[in-house]
Amino acid sequence: NFIVMIIAPQLKQAKKIYWNSKRLQNYPPPQYVDVTNVSDMMLRFKNGSYIAIDGCENYDALRGVKPNLVIYDEFQHHSKEFHLEVMQPNLLTSSTALLVFGTPPNSRGAYYVEYRDQLIKEIKEGSTTSAYYEFPSSTNPANNPAKLEKVRKQLFDAGNEVIWYREYLGQLAFGGEDVVFPKWNPKVHCRTHL
């Protein structure tokens, strides 16, 4: 009777990532699956456990759920209200675990930044139940190293290094996304006075 919830920012997104791709249905050995519920996007196992996917946009629907494992995917787009007002109370049991995944956001105002800072503070203060990792795209064996290098060069040549650090190295990095002139370049934006 183990309950696993995989939660993306939107149900539609979770459906594309996990259900339509058959990523969830192909995960467990078929002999353990009792029911594949297409309408609820849930796999129920013969031992009573289940894995379900959902989105955090309709967070009232997830109030009161008592999962054993919660996985936040694409966390950079999750809302603060969803985590603090809905899931955090659901995570109070000592046997509940939370895994958080996502590329760092391109905005300092994203809840991801606040959550990350609080998590790192807890770890520095001695928490033995929390961990924080940053993994670059190069650790994924499915990614072609030559293509990664090509993308890196293109981004650096275009002055978009911050995208490389954030999207491909998994680092919290900000450029000029939230300033008035994010791509100010005197060669492009100025002309000689005649």
Side-chain angles (χ1 to χ4, degrees):
N1 293 323
F2 199 84
I3 300 170
V4 178
M5 300 289 303
I6 302 172
I7 303 171
Q10 299 174 356
L11 178 58
K12 186 175 182 179
Q13 183 180 24
K15 184 177 181 180
K16 286 180 182 178
I17 294 171
Y18 291 98
W19 198 260
N20 292 351
S21 68
K22 303 256 187 243
R23 205 167 163 184
L24 183 59
Q25 301 92 312
N26 291 335
Y27 170 71
Q31 66 268 25
Y32 298 117
V33 177
D34 186 34
V35 176
T36 300
N37 187 322
V38 176
S39 61
D40 289 336
M41 292 180 285
M42 178 180 70
L43 296 180
R44 184 170 300 280
F45 297 91
K46 291 179 180 174
N47 68 358
S49 300
Y50 70 84
I51 302 174
I53 61 172
D54 215 323
C56 70
E57 78 272 34
N58 182 13
Y59 50 81
D60 285 335
L62 292 171
R63 288 187 190 276
V65 175
K66 300 295 181 212
N68 302 94
L69 172 62
V70 175
I71 300 170
Y72 288 166
D73 198 1
E74 299 297 335
F75 185 62
Q76 69 274 24
H77 299 296
H78 279 235
S79 72
K80 180 177 184 172
E81 295 78 19
F82 172 75
H83 177 70
L84 294 179
E85 296 178 20
V86 178
M87 286 314 290
Q88 188 165 294
N90 292 346
L91 299 171
L92 290 177
T93 63
S94 61
S95 63
T96 302
L98 173 65
L99 296 175
V100 179
F101 298 98
T103 302
N106 63 2
S107 169
R108 288 175 179 85
Y111 178 58
Y112 176 109
V113 178
E114 179 183 334
Y115 181 86
R116 174 188 174 272
D117 290 349
Q118 181 63 37
L119 180 64
I120 290 172
K121 180 181 174 199
E122 289 174 15
I123 293 167
K124 286 180 179 177
E125 291 173 352
S127 173
T128 58
T129 60
S130 302
Y132 176 80
Y133 302 100
E134 293 177 355
F135 293 109
S137 296
S138 60
T139 60
N140 183 343
N143 287 334
N144 180 316
K147 286 183 180 179
L148 280 172
E149 179 53 30
K150 181 179 177 183
V151 169
R152 188 200 64 77
K153 183 173 178 354
Q154 289 171 340
L155 289 170
F156 273 70
D157 288 350
N160 292 316
E161 299 90 350
V162 72
I163 294 172
W164 173 257
Y165 295 121
R166 187 175 55 243
E167 294 290 332
Y168 297 92
L169 296 184
Q171 297 174 356
L172 191 61
F174 302 109
E177 293 90 351
D178 52 0
V179 296
V180 177
F181 298 108
K183 303 272 188 211
W184 176 257
N185 181 339
K187 293 178 183 176
V188 175
H189 298 103
C190 295
R191 59 182 176 160
T192 337
H193 181 17
L194 301 174

